Amino acid sequence: MSNDFLFFEPVYMERVWGGNKSRSEFGYDLPSDNIGECWVITANEIGDCVCTTDEYKGKTLTWLWENKRELFGNYDCDRFPLLLKILDAKTDLSIQVHPDDAYMAKKDPKAWGKTESWYILNCDEGATVVVGHNARTREELREMIDSSRYKELIREVEVHKGDFIQIDAGTIHSIKGGVMILETQQNSDITYRVYDYDRLWNGKPRTLHREEAKDVTVVPAVKEPAFKTSDTDPIVKLVSCKYYDLFKLNVKGDLAIDNDAPFRLVSCIEGSGTVNKKVTLKKGDHFIVPSGIDKLEFNGEMTLITSVPGKR
Ligand code: ZN
């Protein structure tokens, strides 16, 4: 079995709220100036990234998952479990909430809920995001949504570069204009739109899913969801949940970590360097560490975000 790291071609998604900052920030070859989302590690019917590593050049991640599961430690799951994206919001996204697995299972046994997390890569001075709500009871949540008291309902928090936010399923959330994030999430795309700031798109408001939102939103919301992450500690744990464990690595010189994960995702979000003395890394690179590589030795001046899938 190959011990090579697996690199992929990103899949670019145009969005009405998207910008073009990934071109200047990460050197991506964007096909337009409204690329809201770069799906950098993805394997689903909407976006399937193609491997650029020699041995598997041209194969999609779904193909690798289905035919070379040993690369992923024979991880038992009907699909690649994670999805990694960079989002660049030029304007505000609509406010939404995702269901959890239990809610989706009742609708469709194959569908998943969606838990996600955000690492703030960059943002304008004073930028904010929406995370959580102010309703104290489900009754109050229903009333506020029914009477469109959204400004009262939603909770907005100021964010800064390097902040991290876990968005569990059932959390009302939205990225606002001027914010760029690295999103690590469950490989699912089910979204209920709560509010779209009364905007019109091509003369029409976008459909809202108020009934579903009233059902799936967790009440009360988590109090202080965002925190600043260290830029100096070598290994910073960001979150551990059912779906993933996430770490930030501040590489200043040499940094080695033991790796016993079935597979691991790594993103270089700042700086440059090498891994295991053979592969060079620069800002904007993302790769999968296949099964069987028990040590990762990084060298250079760089910031990495790394995730491993939840235990199954
Ligand atoms: Zn979301």
Side-chain angles (χ1 to χ4, degrees), residues 96 98 114 116 173:
Q96 46 186 271
H98 306 300
K114 179 172 165 189
E116 64 188 66
H173 65 281

Side-chain angles (χ1 to χ4, degrees), residues 121-144:
L121 293 169
N122 227 324
C123 61
D124 295 343
E125 180 79 38
T128 62
V129 296
V130 171
V131 188
H133 61 80
N134 294 313
R136 286 160 299 183
T137 62
R138 186 158 306 275
E139 198 44 44
E140 198 175 25
L141 175 88
R142 289 203 186 102
E143 272 172 33
M144 285 168 120

